[in-house]
Amino acid sequence: MSDLTLSCDNAHPNSCLIIDVDLRSHENNSAHHTREIDRERLIVRRGQSFSITLQCSDSVPPRHYLELILHLGKRDEVVIKGRKERGAGDKWWFNEQQVQNEILLTVHSPADAIVGQYRLAVLLMTPTGHIFQETKKVEFHLLFNPWCKDDVVYLPEENLLQEYIMNEAGIIYMGAWDNIKSIPWNYGQFEDYVMDICFEVLDNSNNALKNSKMDMELRSDPVYVSRIITAMVNSNGDRGLLTGKWNEPYTDGVPPYQWTGSVPILKQWSKNGIRTVKYGQCWVFAGVACTVLRCLGIPTRLITNFSSAHDVDGNLSVDFLLDERYDSINRQRDSSWNFHCWVESWMRRDDLPKGNDGWQVLDPTPQELSDGEFCCGPCPVAAIKEGNVGVKYDARFVFAEVNADIIYWMVKQDGQWQKIRVDQSGVGKNISTKSVYGDHREDVTLHYKYPEGSKEEREVYKRAGGQVTESTNDIAEPLQLQLSIKHAEPVFGTDFDVIVEMKNNGSKDADAQLTILAIAVTYNSIHRGECHRQMTRVTVPARKAHKEVLRLRYDDYVRCISDHNQIRVKAVLEALGENKPIMAMANIPLSRPELLIQVGDLILQQVTAYISFTNPLPVALNGGVFTVEGAGLLYATKVHVRGNVFPGQKVSVKLAFSPMRTGVRKLLVDFDSDRLKDVKGVATLVVRKKY
């Protein structure tokens, strides 16, 4: 089948020699690891040759020769001439082989070529350099090439490429550092139209709209492209993909917890005329960024940083202000998030001194301005570990996210601040990503920092410009009292106990007042209300421990709990006669029940999924809806549940679909209702070739 129509030079109306072109998409796309994106259109990677065939009506006249002209941009912002002879490594060139009436062209792109949609014209030239015939332009896409050793995104290990470029199914870690949960995520970077939308995202950045030629020329550089992506995934100050919102109501959009993958977000943005999609939070921003970067050919993985600091003033400490009742004072801007998600992309940093290659932090969640845009990175992980906070881009902000000290201050009625707790190891814990060896967690904390409490860790903190403060452990505690909080892993909908243990290492009994405060918070530390407060006079015997139990009932916390299902418990112990209180804190994520998914056999090219769920709450659920999707299986589909789901009642739905692509596939399901949200499930199935 012809890939183009042809036009001939007016001077030679009967001399159309080139009558057809075969772009050989099937074999080229297979060789370039792009056949999952498309098998019909030509999609190739830079720094690697590809072949096209010219069908001719006759042999080429003596001393006539071929030229290739490449056009980039909607208004031909960049035009490149491909030479027949091999030039320098930074030039497009081709060689040809003629067999009877066919010419095989092998086209070589440089490893630093601009990524994008190219239009290619073949010119047949006369010996005097005039155009004898010019074909109409054919289109192909060029992507980054992590398989090519000369490309700055080169990643030499095939198992890493299979995960960080080719895997469309991911896992995102959430919860708290000592109670890690996970949800499945469908990246879907090879789904229909996703690649086109990724380039549409680049075309709508502020830089592209301001100066499309300069923007196009810079698209050879993954540092530039990835930074643009972090700005465009959020919609702050540009035509970006997603609007962030961290509190209800979400009635004019989709609640962040309802998304199970990136594809519906990308498609909705494009289909609705480049209008921002509502709503996202950090894991949604990171999931979408991972999809776009993997699709463009930049190896990328999603990272979760537990106990993540947001240091607004750049002093590398997070200051929490409490009043004399131990309630938080709202005027503070620093915060500590239970977890925060970003992505890392792999690239060489030729713009920086040696030692900064490899994984780079990119954070698309809109937090602080960087060079006038809500973007963050790329920032070398290696620079963060060594405290080199002057490195491009945004190293100081990222360093604080994983290393800031947390200081708690009591603000007295007379306005004086009293330091009541310093925590040097509470930030940047269990930094996590999905393993390349399966669906389990890999801990990458030591890529970001030296072990907590080590000499190197404190030296790096000083090098970064942090004010080294004495830790609570170094402050002589009154009567050697110690305070800790213990809890089980409670399930949302149940009553549960929180145990506060006080140890007295001194030789005298200690009389004290204990205040236990349970607060509903979002994962990024926004207070939603007090669930329970308990004040008790206690005596802790010498060299012994004493325990107090706080019973938290469903009715206590359901009134104010956020959609993140997080409870923060603060315990404060004030020894009588001492003016320095001791404080302990625990973030308790409440688990959600599980969805059960069973997948039947493939019959007549159809699969049926059976999904069931039992209501664990003591109240009925209304407005239940299942959302089902899976890369290569089916697009996001909603199944509504009729009527109420009563306490203890099981609800079952079945859904038949026809898989679109072969291989190991993940089916993702989300359930939401009025009182219970963000219940997730996942099933793995193998789709074999049709016989």
Short mmCIF file of all heavy atoms in Angstrom, two decimals, residues 214-247:
data_model
loop_
_atom_site.label_atom_id
_atom_site.label_comp_id
_atom_site.label_asym_id
_atom_site.label_seq_id
_atom_site.Cartn_x
_atom_site.Cartn_y
_atom_site.Cartn_z
N MET A 214 12.61 28.29 18.95
CA MET A 214 13.60 28.03 20.00
C MET A 214 13.21 26.79 20.81
O MET A 214 14.05 25.94 21.13
CB MET A 214 13.71 29.25 20.93
CG MET A 214 14.83 29.12 21.97
SD MET A 214 14.84 30.52 23.11
CE MET A 214 15.36 31.83 22.01
N ASP A 215 11.91 26.67 21.12
CA ASP A 215 11.43 25.51 21.88
C ASP A 215 11.70 24.22 21.11
O ASP A 215 12.20 23.24 21.67
CB ASP A 215 9.93 25.67 22.15
CG ASP A 215 9.30 24.40 22.70
OD1 ASP A 215 9.53 24.10 23.88
OD2 ASP A 215 8.59 23.71 21.94
N MET A 216 11.41 24.23 19.81
CA MET A 216 11.60 23.03 18.99
C MET A 216 13.07 22.62 18.97
O MET A 216 13.41 21.44 19.11
CB MET A 216 11.10 23.31 17.57
CG MET A 216 11.03 22.10 16.66
SD MET A 216 9.81 20.89 17.20
CE MET A 216 8.29 21.77 16.93
N GLU A 217 13.96 23.59 18.83
CA GLU A 217 15.40 23.28 18.77
C GLU A 217 15.92 22.70 20.08
O GLU A 217 16.86 21.90 20.10
CB GLU A 217 16.19 24.54 18.38
CG GLU A 217 15.99 24.92 16.91
CD GLU A 217 16.49 26.33 16.58
OE1 GLU A 217 16.77 27.10 17.53
OE2 GLU A 217 16.60 26.64 15.37
N LEU A 218 15.29 23.10 21.21
CA LEU A 218 15.72 22.62 22.52
C LEU A 218 15.19 21.22 22.85
O LEU A 218 15.60 20.61 23.84
CB LEU A 218 15.30 23.61 23.61
CG LEU A 218 16.08 24.93 23.66
CD1 LEU A 218 15.38 25.95 24.54
CD2 LEU A 218 17.50 24.69 24.14
N ARG A 219 14.29 20.71 22.02
CA ARG A 219 13.69 19.40 22.31
C ARG A 219 14.62 18.22 22.04
O ARG A 219 14.21 17.07 22.13
CB ARG A 219 12.38 19.23 21.53
CG ARG A 219 11.26 20.09 22.07
CD ARG A 219 9.93 19.71 21.46
NE ARG A 219 8.95 20.78 21.62
CZ ARG A 219 7.73 20.75 21.12
NH1 ARG A 219 7.35 19.69 20.41
NH2 ARG A 219 6.90 21.75 21.31
N SER A 220 15.86 18.51 21.72
CA SER A 220 16.86 17.44 21.65
C SER A 220 17.40 17.10 23.04
O SER A 220 18.04 16.07 23.23
CB SER A 220 18.02 17.87 20.76
OG SER A 220 18.63 19.05 21.31
N ASP A 221 17.10 17.96 24.01
CA ASP A 221 17.72 17.87 25.34
C ASP A 221 16.70 17.35 26.37
O ASP A 221 15.72 18.03 26.65
CB ASP A 221 18.21 19.27 25.75
CG ASP A 221 18.85 19.30 27.12
OD1 ASP A 221 19.07 18.21 27.70
OD2 ASP A 221 19.13 20.41 27.61
N PRO A 222 16.93 16.16 26.94
CA PRO A 222 15.97 15.63 27.92
C PRO A 222 15.89 16.46 29.20
O PRO A 222 14.87 16.41 29.90
CB PRO A 222 16.49 14.22 28.22
CG PRO A 222 17.94 14.26 27.87
CD PRO A 222 18.05 15.23 26.72
N VAL A 223 16.94 17.22 29.52
CA VAL A 223 16.88 18.12 30.68
C VAL A 223 15.78 19.16 30.43
O VAL A 223 14.92 19.39 31.29
CB VAL A 223 18.24 18.81 30.93
CG1 VAL A 223 18.13 19.86 32.02
CG2 VAL A 223 19.30 17.77 31.29
N TYR A 224 15.79 19.74 29.23
CA TYR A 224 14.78 20.74 28.87
C TYR A 224 13.38 20.11 28.79
O TYR A 224 12.41 20.62 29.36
CB TYR A 224 15.15 21.38 27.53
CG TYR A 224 14.12 22.35 27.01
CD1 TYR A 224 14.05 23.66 27.50
CD2 TYR A 224 13.20 21.97 26.02
CE1 TYR A 224 13.09 24.56 27.03
CE2 TYR A 224 12.25 22.86 25.54
CZ TYR A 224 12.20 24.16 26.05
OH TYR A 224 11.25 25.03 25.59
N VAL A 225 13.28 18.99 28.08
CA VAL A 225 11.97 18.36 27.86
C VAL A 225 11.34 17.93 29.19
O VAL A 225 10.16 18.18 29.44
CB VAL A 225 12.10 17.17 26.89
CG1 VAL A 225 10.81 16.35 26.84
CG2 VAL A 225 12.46 17.66 25.49
N SER A 226 12.14 17.31 30.05
CA SER A 226 11.58 16.80 31.33
C SER A 226 11.15 17.96 32.23
O SER A 226 10.14 17.86 32.94
CB SER A 226 12.60 15.91 32.04
OG SER A 226 13.78 16.62 32.37
N ARG A 227 11.89 19.06 32.18
CA ARG A 227 11.51 20.23 32.99
C ARG A 227 10.18 20.82 32.49
O ARG A 227 9.32 21.20 33.29
CB ARG A 227 12.63 21.27 32.94
CG ARG A 227 12.43 22.46 33.89
CD ARG A 227 13.76 23.14 34.15
NE ARG A 227 13.62 24.42 34.82
CZ ARG A 227 13.40 24.58 36.13
NH1 ARG A 227 13.26 23.52 36.91
NH2 ARG A 227 13.30 25.79 36.66
N ILE A 228 10.01 20.87 31.17
CA ILE A 228 8.75 21.34 30.59
C ILE A 228 7.60 20.43 31.04
O ILE A 228 6.50 20.90 31.39
CB ILE A 228 8.83 21.37 29.04
CG1 ILE A 228 9.80 22.46 28.57
CG2 ILE A 228 7.45 21.53 28.41
CD1 ILE A 228 9.30 23.88 28.72
N ILE A 229 7.85 19.12 31.06
CA ILE A 229 6.80 18.17 31.46
C ILE A 229 6.37 18.43 32.91
O ILE A 229 5.17 18.40 33.22
CB ILE A 229 7.27 16.70 31.29
CG1 ILE A 229 7.52 16.37 29.82
CG2 ILE A 229 6.26 15.72 31.89
CD1 ILE A 229 6.37 16.54 28.89
N THR A 230 7.32 18.70 33.82
CA THR A 230 6.93 18.94 35.22
C THR A 230 6.06 20.20 35.33
O THR A 230 5.20 20.27 36.21
CB THR A 230 8.14 19.07 36.18
OG1 THR A 230 8.83 20.30 35.94
CG2 THR A 230 9.07 17.90 36.09
N ALA A 231 6.29 21.18 34.45
CA ALA A 231 5.46 22.38 34.46
C ALA A 231 4.08 22.11 33.87
O ALA A 231 3.07 22.62 34.36
CB ALA A 231 6.15 23.51 33.69
N MET A 232 4.02 21.27 32.82
CA MET A 232 2.77 21.07 32.08
C MET A 232 1.85 20.02 32.70
O MET A 232 0.67 19.97 32.36
CB MET A 232 3.09 20.69 30.63
CG MET A 232 3.48 21.86 29.76
SD MET A 232 2.17 23.10 29.61
CE MET A 232 0.96 22.20 28.64
N VAL A 233 2.35 19.17 33.57
CA VAL A 233 1.46 18.19 34.20
C VAL A 233 0.49 18.90 35.16
O VAL A 233 -0.66 18.50 35.29
CB VAL A 233 2.26 17.07 34.91
CG1 VAL A 233 1.38 16.24 35.82
CG2 VAL A 233 2.91 16.16 33.86
N ASN A 234 0.95 19.98 35.81
CA ASN A 234 0.02 20.79 36.61
C ASN A 234 -0.41 22.01 35.78
O ASN A 234 0.28 22.41 34.86
CB ASN A 234 0.65 21.21 37.95
CG ASN A 234 1.76 22.23 37.77
OD1 ASN A 234 1.51 23.40 37.49
ND2 ASN A 234 3.01 21.78 37.93
N SER A 235 -1.56 22.57 36.14
CA SER A 235 -2.14 23.65 35.31
C SER A 235 -1.88 25.04 35.88
O SER A 235 -2.44 26.01 35.39
CB SER A 235 -3.65 23.43 35.17
OG SER A 235 -4.27 23.55 36.44
N ASN A 236 -1.02 25.14 36.89
CA ASN A 236 -0.75 26.45 37.49
C ASN A 236 0.05 27.33 36.52
O ASN A 236 1.20 27.04 36.22
CB ASN A 236 0.05 26.30 38.79
CG ASN A 236 -0.76 25.62 39.87
OD1 ASN A 236 -1.52 24.71 39.59
ND2 ASN A 236 -0.59 26.03 41.10
N GLY A 237 -0.56 28.37 36.01
CA GLY A 237 0.15 29.34 35.17
C GLY A 237 0.36 28.92 33.74
O GLY A 237 1.13 29.56 33.02
N ASP A 238 -0.27 27.83 33.29
CA ASP A 238 -0.11 27.42 31.89
C ASP A 238 -1.33 26.60 31.46
O ASP A 238 -2.31 26.51 32.18
CB ASP A 238 1.20 26.64 31.68
CG ASP A 238 1.33 25.43 32.60
OD1 ASP A 238 0.29 24.89 33.01
OD2 ASP A 238 2.46 25.02 32.89
N ARG A 239 -1.22 25.99 30.28
CA ARG A 239 -2.34 25.18 29.75
C ARG A 239 -2.22 23.72 30.18
O ARG A 239 -2.55 22.82 29.42
CB ARG A 239 -2.35 25.25 28.22
CG ARG A 239 -2.59 26.62 27.64
CD ARG A 239 -2.61 26.50 26.12
NE ARG A 239 -2.90 27.77 25.46
CZ ARG A 239 -3.05 27.88 24.14
NH1 ARG A 239 -2.93 26.82 23.36
NH2 ARG A 239 -3.31 29.05 23.59
N GLY A 240 -1.72 23.50 31.39
CA GLY A 240 -1.35 22.16 31.84
C GLY A 240 -2.52 21.20 32.01
O GLY A 240 -3.69 21.56 31.92
N LEU A 241 -2.14 19.95 32.32
CA LEU A 241 -3.07 18.84 32.31
C LEU A 241 -4.04 18.81 33.49
O LEU A 241 -5.22 18.56 33.32
CB LEU A 241 -2.27 17.52 32.30
CG LEU A 241 -1.52 17.19 31.01
CD1 LEU A 241 -0.40 16.22 31.28
CD2 LEU A 241 -2.49 16.59 30.00
N LEU A 242 -3.51 19.04 34.70
CA LEU A 242 -4.27 18.71 35.92
C LEU A 242 -4.32 19.87 36.89
O LEU A 242 -3.31 20.53 37.13
CB LEU A 242 -3.58 17.54 36.64
CG LEU A 242 -4.05 16.12 36.42
CD1 LEU A 242 -3.05 15.17 37.06
CD2 LEU A 242 -5.43 15.88 37.00
N THR A 243 -5.49 20.07 37.49
CA THR A 243 -5.63 21.03 38.58
C THR A 243 -5.51 20.28 39.90
O THR A 243 -6.15 19.23 40.08
CB THR A 243 -7.01 21.73 38.50
OG1 THR A 243 -7.06 22.46 37.28
CG2 THR A 243 -7.22 22.68 39.67
N GLY A 244 -4.71 20.81 40.81
CA GLY A 244 -4.56 20.19 42.13
C GLY A 244 -5.62 20.69 43.11
O GLY A 244 -6.00 21.86 43.08
N LYS A 245 -6.12 19.78 43.94
CA LYS A 245 -7.04 20.17 45.02
C LYS A 245 -6.88 19.18 46.15
O LYS A 245 -6.88 17.97 45.92
CB LYS A 245 -8.49 20.21 44.51
CG LYS A 245 -9.42 20.95 45.49
CD LYS A 245 -10.83 21.08 44.95
CE LYS A 245 -11.65 21.95 45.90
NZ LYS A 245 -13.09 21.83 45.65
N TRP A 246 -6.76 19.71 47.39
CA TRP A 246 -6.43 18.86 48.54
C TRP A 246 -7.56 18.79 49.57
O TRP A 246 -7.34 18.37 50.68
CB TRP A 246 -5.12 19.33 49.17
CG TRP A 246 -3.93 18.81 48.42
CD1 TRP A 246 -3.21 17.69 48.73
CD2 TRP A 246 -3.33 19.34 47.24
NE1 TRP A 246 -2.21 17.49 47.81
CE2 TRP A 246 -2.25 18.49 46.88
CE3 TRP A 246 -3.60 20.44 46.44
CZ2 TRP A 246 -1.45 18.71 45.77
CZ3 TRP A 246 -2.81 20.66 45.32
CH2 TRP A 246 -1.75 19.81 45.00
N ASN A 247 -8.75 19.25 49.20
CA ASN A 247 -9.88 19.12 50.13
C ASN A 247 -11.19 19.08 49.34
O ASN A 247 -11.28 19.60 48.23
CB ASN A 247 -9.89 20.30 51.12
CG ASN A 247 -9.92 21.64 50.42
OD1 ASN A 247 -8.99 21.97 49.70
ND2 ASN A 247 -10.97 22.41 50.62
#
